Amino acid sequence: MTRGPFDGVSNIVRFNWPMFAIAATLTVVAVAGVAFATTTALRALFALSAVSLGGGMVVSLAVSHLIYDRSDLYRFAWLTRAVHGLDVRAATFCQTGFDECSGLLRQRTPATAWTVLDHYDPVRMREPSIQRARTYCPAAPGTVSAPFNAWPTASRSTDVVVAMLAIHELRSENERTQWFTEARRTTDRGGRIIMVEHVRDLANALAFGPGALHFHSIATWRRSWESAELRARDEYRVTPWVRIFVLEHA
């Protein structure tokens, strides 16, 4: 399993194409407004709109390319730090409708037995982007469908739980607490939960504009994992826009 040099940004456009189509159309309209405006004030307003819309779209795509195609995110060197000192024999990977990581993880860690859980729920997860992702990329063979709060996994049966850019699709804090509770139940006492996420911070706001509201704040994440009796063992970044949280039993 390999990734192409533009797979990440291509998926962003594919899954969110209506948003980009609207932004591109409004940019063209604004540029036309600059050309045909009859007053200086109106011309300046159209120019500002064109720069904001077009510039925002270009910046978000450029940052997406840096994150998903040019960074270490899908090369997994960051995983070495997360599991340092731990003998990982059994691991669980959790996704919520779009999985382009479990195959790559299996390639990188051939000695580890991976279980892949799919928490996708079409009733709860109604956002068009995740539904398109599911249509284009169905679950891989061997994936186990599992409610986010009731995993078909024995207690203390796994060394590591990994969730990459997925659990933010659980939109309520209570749902995320329930997910962390299951992650804690299924990991051995010395096990770790590794969560990779964008967060609602300045870097993501500058890169994605209002789209950053889809992410959750660090304070919200912390409340959820602490409610599930977990604590942060480590936290670091892959690019300024993506954070790695390594959690353990409190």
Side-chain angles (χ1 to χ4, degrees):
M1 184 177 182
T2 58
R3 286 175 58 84
F6 296 97
D7 281 359
V9 72
S10 296
N11 284 332
I12 293 294
V13 174
R14 182 189 303 176
F15 302 153
N16 299 278
W17 68 264
M19 179 186 70
F20 286 106
I22 292 171
T25 300
L26 292 176
T27 301
V28 171
V29 170
V31 170
V34 172
F36 293 102
T38 56
T39 67
T40 301
L42 195 57
R43 189 176 298 111
L45 178 61
F46 278 123
L48 179 61
S49 299
V51 170
S52 298
L53 291 165
M57 184 168 53
V58 170
V59 168
S60 68
L61 289 174
V63 170
S64 295
H65 179 57
L66 289 174
I67 295 169
Y68 305 123
D69 297 315
R70 306 292 293 180
S71 79
D72 178 57
L73 186 61
Y74 291 107
R75 298 178 180 91
F76 300 106
W78 54 264
L79 186 62
T80 302
R81 173 173 169 175
V83 300
H84 178 71
L86 190 65
D87 182 17
V88 184
R89 298 180 181 272
T92 301
F93 179 81
C94 296
Q95 55 119 328
T96 53
F98 178 55
D99 173 15
E100 58 178 352
C101 302
S102 61
L104 296 170
L105 282 168
R106 283 193 171 106
Q107 287 179 357
R108 180 176 173 84
T109 57
T112 301
W114 285 90
T115 298
V116 180
L117 301 182
D118 179 13
H119 301 315
Y120 177 69
D121 182 345
V123 175
R124 180 174 278 103
M125 300 172 188
R126 294 178 173 271
E127 292 203 2
S129 59
I130 195 66
Q131 293 177 353
R132 291 188 199 96
R134 184 64 168 197
T135 299
Y136 286 120
C137 303
T143 299
V144 179
S145 181
F148 70 91
N149 57 356
W151 304 5
T153 310
S155 298
R156 298 192 174 186
S157 63
T158 191
D159 300 306
V160 167
V161 172
V162 178
M164 280 189 64
L165 306 173
I167 308 308
H168 67 274
E169 297 295 347
L170 301 177
R171 300 311 299 169
S172 77
E173 191 170 317
N174 181 58
E175 288 175 340
R176 295 189 293 277
T177 297
Q178 292 178 68
W179 183 87
F180 282 121
T181 300
E182 280 295 273
R184 184 183 188 280
R185 178 186 67 80
T186 59
T187 49
D188 190 61
R189 182 68 182 174
R192 296 173 196 167
I193 294 97
I194 303 167
M195 186 179 69
V196 183
E197 284 287 351
H198 294 276
V199 298
R200 190 182 299 175
D201 62 4
L202 180 60
N204 281 287
L206 292 174
F208 303 111
L213 296 175
H214 185 62
F215 310 137
H216 309 302
S217 69
I218 293 178
T220 296
W221 284 115
R222 185 177 293 111
R223 284 196 300 269
S224 291
W225 74 56
E226 288 181 349
S227 295
E229 298 182 22
L230 295 169
R231 65 187 176 196
R233 175 190 176 92
D234 197 5
E235 177 188 333
Y236 51 102
R237 295 175 188 255
V238 177
T239 77
W241 305 281
V242 176
R243 301 197 189 209
I244 314 292
F245 299 95
V246 183
L247 312 175
E248 62 184 5
H249 291 219

